[in-house]
Amino acid sequence: MSEPKLPTVNKNVSKDGRLDIQNPHLTDMDEDVLYHIALSNKTHDLKDMFGDVKFVCFGGSPNRMRAFAEYLVPELKIKIPAGQTLCNIAHGSDRYVLYKVGPVISVSHGMGIPSLSIIFHEIVKLVHHAGCRDVVFFRLGTSGGLGLEPGSVVITDEAVDGLLRPYMDLVILGKVVQHSSQLDPGLQQELLSLANLQKDNYQTLVGKTMCTLDFYEGQARLDGAFCDYTQKDKMAFLNQAYNHGIRNIEMESLCFAAYCHRAGIRGAVICVTLLDRLKGDQITTPHSVMEQWQTRPQKLVVAYIKQKLGIQ
Amino acid sequence: MSEPKLPTVNKNVSKDGRLDIQNPHLTDMDEDVLYHIALSNKTHDLKDMFGDVKFVCFGGSPNRMRAFAEYLVPELKIKIPAGQTLCNIAHGSDRYVLYKVGPVISVSHGMGIPSLSIIFHEIVKLVHHAGCRDVVFFRLGTSGGLGLEPGSVVITDEAVDGLLRPYMDLVILGKVVQHSSQLDPGLQQELLSLANLQKDNYQTLVGKTMCTLDFYEGQARLDGAFCDYTQKDKMAFLNQAYNHGIRNIEMESLCFAAYCHRAGIRGAVICVTLLDRLKGDQITTPHSVMEQWQTRPQKLVVAYIKQKLGIQ
């Protein structure tokens, strides 16, 4: 397998491609327990286990991230010896699942920013302890679309919060700190070019993504347990978002983008849309169709990975 | 099984104990798909399945909530016929697990406010569609303690956010709305009295709970992937929180409390503390000890349920 050549873009990445971790306290610690994935740099040889990782793929659902790992095996021409199988490396915890297939980690992040935040911290520390170089992060997700045919794929160019602001508020030591949620434009264009090559029967586009702290009221749905607004209020807000350039709505991109930016990691968010929120709230598409749609971001990321690894 | 007698305390509960749902749009909908637990009021007879529910117990970890359901079976003297077993009612989705044991639902909520928010909306709608009466909600969780022996149990009297404010900010249609996170004092005292009767070898107390959007920086940890502050800054903040009356820190209580208050549901948050954050950041207690500690909130809630059901 040839060494992938990935340009580094951020001052936070050191010259040899290793992550410069943004926490001086870590070097003073005897042991670092990655609690939510049940690993530690003392009880596990993280360099040996993960040193060759080049791509980390995050997604909300544990089943989907296992399926993605299984999909990677033939695509990356990985040979698993007879009598062996993929396993969930984080099996000591039931908070997330974590698979490794060649140079790719497939990890679940649960739902919402706080759940993503925890696993992002622990994966960055894992990548750091393992001494990985030039790692690229992807979030492969599902979302509600705005003005798009359901099943369309959105590559996020900017993540905004529920107030349409392109940064993330973090509350640290009783103060609000803001971090830019800018993502890597070069990576977006690389992905879009690959999508255009694939001649799919669905649309893949670059657009803004709104990231909310709630699925119901936060996304202007009328079908939650609480709702104090009208259909007209809802449509006014969704149209405002559309006019702002927002093409889909989900619950993790803001944190993913802000943390990638802080860590100096090239990252991309690729989400399929399960419905058009300008037309409704409820997700009623048959399960089997949605299952198929959910492989679309995976297919694009696999094409990218194969290109970088020189696999035909 | 005798009918539990639960006082109703909130104007939002109708006279017959049924929930007055706070969303006028729901009544106009042909079908309500509870997407993240793969149920619907059209494809499932929710009244038949859940009409007798009196207690809903939420907790972060799916395994822990399955274990809680299993623990309930003998405690509530439920007879499961030969050839049958408990099953995850939400098995059509991998986002949450949901068990039912007699009048008790045991459901996982994942990590963080957004993840809890989704399942809370869907459970309130389920309780509404099922016509349940006088339902009480509990969150049974884990947390970091402040100035407490690890393994202590905290019953939350007030949930505050990372800025120590006793309300929850919700972003709805591009505006910030605030909801009180007041919990039911009577229920806290009932639980505390029951704990005092149990003569446990650990402390159970009532105190404030700080609820954060992040496990690392949000909780003043020094061991995340990012950290811009010193040990001294951290201790100053944690001591400030302690002096404010905060006895534990977790990631869901604020939303749980605010939504219970909005919905007119009696609710309580009971969390065990896994470490004393005034002494450290990393969770290094052996897994088997933590497993045992995590049953402590369960034991208290089971005592409450048995008292209400008149089970010795």
Side-chain angles (χ1 to χ4, degrees):
Chain A
M1 196 177 287
S2 66
E3 190 75 2
K5 287 188 188 74
L6 301 175
T8 58
V9 291
N10 193 302
K11 63 180 172 46
N12 294 332
V13 175
S14 64
K15 274 185 198 148
D16 67 355
R18 284 200 183 90
L19 275 178
D20 273 344
I21 199 95
Q22 318 276 304
N23 180 358
H25 305 287
L26 274 189
T27 47
D28 302 333
M29 287 166 51
D30 277 347
E31 180 177 10
D32 186 14
V33 177
L34 308 175
Y35 176 67
H36 300 86
I37 45 176
L39 296 171
S40 141
N41 66 345
K42 212 167 174 177
T43 55
H44 296 78
D45 185 342
L46 298 177
K47 271 198 173 60
D48 182 61
M49 291 172 75
F50 297 105
D52 63 337
V53 167
K54 297 290 178 193
F55 309 96
V56 181
C57 300
F58 295 79
S61 146
N63 287 352
R64 181 155 30 90
M65 297 322 284
R66 188 186 58 207
F68 180 60
E70 286 163 355
Y71 171 47
L72 284 169
V73 174
E75 288 290 330
L76 303 189
K77 304 189 198 306
I78 303 286
K79 180 146 174 64
I80 297 184
Q84 298 183 17
T85 186
L86 291 183
C87 71
N88 169 18
I89 300 173
H91 65 86
S93 165
D94 67 339
R95 303 296 192 160
Y96 304 99
V97 300
L98 191 153
Y99 295 89
K100 181 177 182 292
V101 179
V104 185
I105 284 175
S106 175
V107 60
S108 68
H109 59 57
M111 284 184 289
I113 285 179
S115 186
L116 173 81
S117 168
I118 294 172
I119 190 68
F120 199 106
H121 270 273
E122 296 186 7
I123 290 290
V124 167
K125 293 198 293 176
L126 183 153
V127 161
H128 166 69
H129 292 309
C132 307
R133 297 181 190 209
D134 303 316
V135 178
V136 183
F137 279 19
F138 297 97
R139 161 164 150 69
L140 294 77
T142 57
S143 62
L146 283 183
L148 300 176
E149 188 70 27
S152 301
V153 173
V154 179
I155 302 165
T156 304
D157 62 355
E158 187 176 77
V160 302
D161 71 2
L163 302 171
L164 312 187
R165 306 177 306 174
Y167 49 82
M168 182 186 179
D169 278 347
L170 268 170
V171 179
I172 303 178
L173 305 190
K175 293 191 182 70
V176 181
V177 180
Q178 288 161 343
H179 284 282
S180 165
S181 53
Q182 197 189 326
L183 283 158
D184 186 312
L187 183 54
Q188 292 153 32
Q189 288 309 316
E190 282 187 82
L191 290 164
L192 188 63
S193 303
L194 276 171
N196 290 338
L197 283 178
Q198 291 186 351
K199 303 192 193 309
D200 299 309
N201 59 351
Y202 53 86
Q203 194 188 3
T204 298
L205 66 152
V206 172
K208 288 187 195 176
T209 299
M210 181 164 72
C211 176
T212 69
L213 292 172
D214 169 55
F215 183 79
Y216 288 97
E217 295 169 294
Q219 299 189 4
R221 279 188 161 82
L222 298 173
D223 62 343
F226 309 109
C227 185
D228 299 326
Y229 44 85
T230 65
Q231 163 79 14
K232 202 176 150 191
D233 298 334
K234 166 194 157 172
M235 291 312 296
F237 177 68
L238 291 182
N239 281 315
Q240 183 196 348
Y242 183 84
N243 293 334
H244 195 75
I246 293 165
R247 291 296 171 269
N248 66 338
I249 311 176
E250 43 77 274
M251 297 178 67
E252 296 87 12
S253 58
L254 192 72
C255 180
F256 181 89
Y259 282 7
C260 279
H261 191 258
R262 284 177 86 185
I265 293 169
R266 296 184 82 204
V269 177
I270 304 122
C271 292
V272 70
T273 63
L274 298 182
L275 75 167
D276 182 359
R277 290 299 319 290
L278 297 181
K279 293 187 179 153
D281 292 339
Q282 292 244 315
I283 303 171
T284 51
T285 305
H287 194 72
S288 57
V289 175
M290 282 199 295
E291 290 269 305
Q292 196 275 321
W293 287 352
Q294 290 179 24
T295 64
R296 292 177 176 179
Q298 299 179 4
K299 205 178 140 200
L300 183 52
V301 168
V302 165
Y304 177 89
I305 292 172
K306 286 171 78 171
Q307 189 190 55
K308 294 299 162 187
L309 297 177
I311 297 173
Q312 295 300 320
Chain B
M1 196 177 288
S2 66
E3 190 74 4
K5 287 189 189 73
L6 302 175
T8 57
V9 292
N10 193 303
K11 62 177 172 50
N12 295 332
V13 176
S14 64
K15 275 183 198 148
D16 67 355
R18 284 201 181 88
L19 274 179
D20 274 344
I21 199 96
Q22 317 277 304
N23 180 359
H25 306 287
L26 274 189
T27 49
D28 302 334
M29 286 166 51
D30 278 347
E31 180 178 9
D32 185 15
V33 178
L34 308 176
Y35 176 67
H36 300 87
I37 46 177
L39 296 171
S40 140
N41 65 346
K42 212 167 175 179
T43 56
H44 297 77
D45 184 343
L46 298 178
K47 269 198 177 58
D48 183 61
M49 291 172 76
F50 297 105
D52 63 338
V53 166
K54 297 290 177 192
F55 309 95
V56 181
C57 300
F58 295 79
S61 145
N63 287 351
R64 183 159 23 94
M65 296 323 284
R66 189 186 57 208
F68 180 60
E70 287 163 355
Y71 170 47
L72 284 168
V73 175
E75 288 291 329
L76 303 189
K77 304 190 199 305
I78 303 286
K79 178 144 175 66
I80 297 183
Q84 297 184 17
T85 186
L86 291 183
C87 71
N88 170 17
I89 300 173
H91 64 87
S93 164
D94 67 339
R95 303 296 191 158
Y96 304 99
V97 300
L98 190 152
Y99 295 89
K100 181 177 181 293
V101 180
V104 186
I105 283 176
S106 175
V107 59
S108 69
H109 59 56
M111 284 184 289
I113 284 178
S115 186
L116 173 81
S117 169
I118 294 172
I119 189 68
F120 199 105
H121 271 272
E122 297 186 8
I123 291 289
V124 167
K125 293 199 292 176
L126 182 153
V127 162
H128 166 70
H129 293 309
C132 307
R133 296 181 190 209
D134 303 316
V135 178
V136 183
F137 279 20
F138 297 98
R139 160 162 151 70
L140 295 77
T142 58
S143 61
L146 282 183
L148 300 176
E149 187 70 26
S152 301
V153 173
V154 179
I155 302 166
T156 303
D157 63 355
E158 187 176 79
V160 302
D161 71 1
L163 302 171
L164 313 188
R165 306 177 307 174
Y167 49 81
M168 182 186 178
D169 278 348
L170 269 170
V171 179
I172 302 177
L173 305 190
K175 293 190 182 71
V176 181
V177 180
Q178 287 161 344
H179 285 282
S180 165
S181 53
Q182 197 188 327
L183 284 157
D184 186 311
L187 184 54
Q188 292 152 33
Q189 288 308 315
E190 282 188 82
L191 290 164
L192 188 63
S193 302
L194 277 169
N196 290 338
L197 284 177
Q198 293 186 350
K199 303 190 191 313
D200 299 310
N201 60 351
Y202 53 88
Q203 194 189 3
T204 298
L205 66 153
V206 173
K208 288 187 193 173
T209 299
M210 181 164 76
C211 176
T212 69
L213 292 170
D214 169 55
F215 182 80
Y216 288 99
E217 295 169 294
Q219 300 190 3
R221 278 187 162 81
L222 298 172
D223 61 343
F226 310 109
C227 185
D228 300 326
Y229 44 86
T230 64
Q231 163 79 14
K232 202 176 151 192
D233 298 334
K234 164 194 158 176
M235 291 312 296
F237 177 69
L238 291 183
N239 281 314
Q240 183 196 349
Y242 183 85
N243 292 334
H244 194 76
I246 293 164
R247 291 296 172 270
N248 65 338
I249 310 175
E250 44 75 273
M251 296 178 68
E252 295 88 12
S253 58
L254 192 72
C255 181
F256 181 88
Y259 281 7
C260 280
H261 191 259
R262 286 178 83 185
I265 294 169
R266 297 183 82 204
V269 177
I270 305 123
C271 292
V272 69
T273 61
L274 299 182
L275 75 167
D276 182 359
R277 291 298 319 290
L278 297 182
K279 293 187 180 153
D281 293 339
Q282 293 242 315
I283 303 171
T284 51
T285 304
H287 194 71
S288 56
V289 175
M290 283 199 296
E291 290 270 303
Q292 197 276 321
W293 287 352
Q294 291 179 23
T295 64
R296 293 177 176 180
Q298 299 180 3
K299 204 179 141 200
L300 183 53
V301 168
V302 165
Y304 177 89
I305 293 173
K306 286 171 76 171
Q307 188 190 57
K308 295 297 163 191
L309 297 177
I311 297 172
Q312 296 300 318

